[in-house]
Amino acid sequence: VPGLATGHEGPPRVALLPVYSLAGGGFVAGTVLAEVGAALARAGVEIVDAAAVDEFLTARRIRFTGGIDADAAAEARDALGVDALLITTVQRYAEVPVPQFSMTLRLVSAAKDPEILWTDAVSLAGDDAPGLLGLGRVTDLQKLQALGIGRCARSLEAFLRGARRPASACQEGGVAPRIAFRSERLDEKDRFTVAVLPFVNDTDRRDAGDLVALEVLRQLTSSGRFRVFEPGVVRRQLLGLRVVQEEGVSLEEARLLTQSLGADLVIAGRVFAYFENPSAFEAPTAEFTVTAIHRGDKQTFWQSSSYARGDAGLHLFGLGKVATTGTLTCRMAAAVASRMSRR
Amino acid sequence: MRPDRIRNLLVLAILAALAGCGGGRKTYRDGQMEFGSVRTVAVLPLQNLSKEGNAGDRVREIFSSSLLSTGSIYVLPVGEVARSIARLGVPTPATPSVEEVVKLGKALQVDAIITGAVKEYGETRSGSATANLVAVSLQMQETATGKVVWASSAAKGGVTLPIRLFGGGGPPLNELTEQCIDALINKLFD
């Protein structure tokens, strides 16, 4: 398997962690994992039995499956004999008013220093491409979910077969930040190591801070200029250092985190709007800030403020509409990552 | 009534209307202050006098980003400011006393502290017409003495004649906030 080099003979082994939900439930986790597992198998990867994974998680009292910390990743390598772990996060699974489905997949190496090997996401709405007389409209949520999983699974399969890391699926039509500050010192190094913290959530949407942070993380990883720490590793450090972000990260917290992780930059942010129930009168809306603080002199290397609505680029016949907040956030985060990484 | 008198009254009415639209917003600048020496500032939480719950935070974030993006002044991250406020036990960070400004200045190692208030943030109504309105006032206090060296205010949006005639509500709040902040930053650098 070209995309997943191992130090042993035989096919690489991957463990699928139980689906982590930021969508509030409703979806069939088994279906999601079965589809993803099939894609891995097609690419020649051996999947670890789900019961063994459950046993491993239970024995170590691991409940959070939205990431993996360094100790757990190393233990998984030893106990399950895996080379990597696949983390699945479902961000949106909703029927009203048009079906919507969003998910992110992340392949992380099972090592003492777990690395994000690949990540991709999909965010679909039933009316993304209605086509002539609405024949392309998807009204069945299960069908939309299958489409989304299929798309992610194909991307994973292609990566394992040797394709490059996927570029952002939504990069076309990136939504530039409304205001941005970029320090020239972002040009000092070819590659920065980055810890992305959960964003502060100032919205009514539960987990909006995690949703936006996950998208920013994915876009930074895709840019290739940043080595982004696995969120599970960052989460463990936050808990260990007892860092509670009420208004954002302080310089002292940034210093502690970067020192303990060995990261160059800490990225934090704040989400002010995350509206994902479009109607005839309201479009998907997202508004967030992104701040990157350097560890050395604790200076801000990047600060931006992004705001966008799904109907901002709307033309005749609904062309140019962005139907989901996931896609909108993807475009906004892609533009942030692109500007940060531009030299 | 004679036609020239009608014309004069019309001119007076237009002048009065223009005077009511945006004029009269004063800016205070301390003539003794060397603004070029202000390299680092901290923006404290803004007092929110609007009905919108997190208007103060929204405007503060946009102002911090905008000021930083000018490249002339370094703005401390909000998390760092929050930490110092908590450590010093400033009870009302939106309206600090002179002593608190001096203490914060030392703790944060900044040249100036910016405070202010969001006076309007949301929809305003005039007759049957509605439109978004943002009004912000800011002041800068130098941290050596706590003295106010700059103060200004700006407002954008509101029910204008085109909105009254054609409706539409005007630009979104976010856009108005950016315009308002741009106007204040221009006044700061004037």
Side-chain angles (χ1 to χ4, degrees):
Chain A
V1 180
L4 189 55
T6 63
H8 59 80
E9 285 192 5
R13 278 168 64 85
V14 171
L16 308 184
L17 292 190
V19 176
Y20 182 63
S21 174
L22 294 175
F27 56 90
V28 183
T31 315
V32 177
L33 288 185
E35 291 254 4
V36 174
L40 284 164
R42 280 197 299 273
V45 172
E46 189 185 331
I47 308 294
V48 176
D49 183 41
V53 176
D54 282 345
E55 199 178 311
F56 168 77
L57 295 173
T58 310
R60 281 151 189 84
R61 295 179 181 176
I62 298 172
R63 288 183 187 171
F64 173 70
T65 56
I68 190 94
D69 66 57
D71 291 341
E75 282 179 26
R77 179 194 57 201
D78 299 337
L80 299 169
V82 293
D83 301 295
L85 300 123
L86 191 76
I87 295 157
T88 308
T89 308
V90 173
Q91 290 127 311
R92 182 82 171 139
Y93 184 91
E95 287 273 12
V96 286
V98 177
Q100 292 189 354
F101 178 76
S102 304
M103 73 182 287
T104 300
L105 287 180
R106 199 164 69 247
L107 191 66
V108 180
S109 64
K112 187 70 190 158
D113 182 17
E115 191 180 344
I116 299 172
L117 304 170
W118 167 91
T119 177
D120 206 352
V122 69
S123 183
L124 300 175
D127 59 352
D128 271 338
L132 190 68
L133 304 174
L135 294 172
R137 189 169 282 131
V138 181
T139 51
D140 181 8
L141 183 53
Q142 295 297 324
K143 195 176 165 188
L144 196 71
Q145 175 182 300
L147 279 171
I149 298 169
R151 201 178 285 182
C152 265
R154 279 194 296 280
S155 168
L156 176 58
E157 199 177 334
F159 170 75
L160 292 169
R161 289 188 194 284
R164 290 179 59 201
R165 274 182 178 160
S168 157
C170 57
Q171 221 147 25
E172 202 175 328
V175 181
R178 305 278 303 185
I179 307 156
F181 163 75
R182 183 185 186 279
S183 167
E184 286 175 358
R185 296 188 59 197
L186 271 174
D187 299 330
E188 276 177 1
K189 280 173 80 173
D190 287 335
R191 200 149 193 246
F192 284 92
T193 49
V194 176
V196 179
L197 308 188
F199 285 16
V200 176
N201 183 12
D202 258 348
T203 74
D204 296 333
R205 165 60 158 103
R206 194 178 163 187
D207 301 318
D210 292 333
L211 292 168
V212 176
L214 196 59
E215 193 53 49
V216 169
L217 175 145
R218 188 170 80 83
Q219 296 298 337
L220 290 172
T221 308
S222 299
S223 77
R225 261 206 78 193
F226 300 97
R227 191 207 155 208
V228 186
F229 280 92
E230 158 57 26
V233 175
V234 178
R235 184 175 183 270
R236 168 56 73 91
Q237 289 295 334
L238 287 171
L239 291 171
L241 296 167
R242 290 176 174 75
V243 172
V244 180
Q245 294 185 83
E246 280 179 3
E247 284 199 52
V249 67
S250 74
L251 295 180
E252 184 58 19
E253 288 160 354
R255 185 187 65 78
L256 281 170
L257 274 168
T258 48
Q259 269 185 1
S260 60
L261 289 166
D264 297 317
L265 298 170
V266 164
I267 292 189
R270 195 162 184 163
V271 184
F272 287 108
Y274 198 92
F275 178 73
E276 54 186 359
N277 294 311
S279 65
F281 307 103
E282 285 188 279
T285 308
E287 181 181 359
F288 59 85
T289 60
V290 179
T291 305
I293 301 171
H294 188 250
R295 75 164 165 182
D297 43 18
K298 298 184 275 185
Q299 290 274 309
T300 301
F301 272 30
W302 172 269
Q303 186 158 322
S304 62
S305 177
S306 301
Y307 169 84
R309 282 171 57 103
D311 59 357
L314 189 66
H315 305 300
L316 285 176
F317 306 115
L319 291 172
K321 180 186 76 174
V322 180
T324 66
T325 315
T327 304
L328 196 65
T329 309
C330 175
R331 291 186 178 186
M332 295 159 82
V336 167
S338 159
R339 278 159 179 75
M340 275 183 80
S341 56
R342 190 182 294 159
R343 305 191 74 175
Chain B
M1 200 180 285
R2 283 164 51 190
D4 55 342
R5 183 168 288 181
I6 293 170
R7 192 189 61 206
N8 289 345
L9 280 172
L10 205 61
V11 169
L12 270 174
I14 290 169
L15 283 173
L18 286 175
C21 299
R25 299 202 180 276
K26 305 281 186 197
T27 296
Y28 165 73
R29 291 175 72 87
D30 186 338
Q32 307 295 313
M33 178 70 186
E34 178 55 62
F35 282 90
S37 65
V38 177
R39 310 296 303 166
T40 309
V41 301
V43 183
L44 297 195
L46 302 181
Q47 199 175 2
N48 184 15
L49 305 176
S50 76
K51 289 177 206 155
E52 183 72 31
N54 58 3
D57 291 337
R58 281 185 168 194
V59 174
R60 183 190 184 197
E61 288 280 354
I62 290 178
F63 177 68
S64 297
S65 299
S66 299
L67 195 55
L68 199 54
S69 69
T70 63
S72 307
I73 293 179
Y74 181 70
V75 183
L76 280 191
V78 288
E80 179 64 9
V81 178
R83 181 171 165 262
S84 287
I85 288 170
R87 279 178 107 183
L88 294 173
V90 180
T92 51
T95 51
S97 67
V98 170
E99 292 78 24
E100 285 165 346
V101 167
V102 175
K103 274 188 200 168
L104 278 168
K106 278 186 188 145
L108 293 163
Q109 295 179 332
V110 292
D111 304 313
I113 295 275
I114 292 176
T115 56
V118 179
K119 296 185 285 190
E120 299 281 354
Y121 191 94
E123 217 171 53
T124 182
R125 179 176 285 276
S126 175
S128 61
T130 58
N132 289 325
L133 172 66
V134 176
V136 181
S137 67
L138 295 175
Q139 63 174 16
M140 181 189 273
Q141 287 168 271
E142 57 125 344
T143 50
T145 59
K147 194 173 145 191
V148 176
V149 291
W150 175 85
S152 191
S153 62
K156 294 287 172 187
V159 179
T160 56
L161 191 62
I163 290 172
R164 200 183 290 279
L165 290 175
F166 306 112
L173 276 171
N174 194 277
E175 212 172 300
L176 289 173
T177 309
E178 285 168 20
Q179 289 174 14
C180 203
I181 294 302
D182 282 348
L184 282 166
I185 289 178
N186 286 338
K187 288 178 185 180
L188 179 62
F189 286 107
D190 259 352

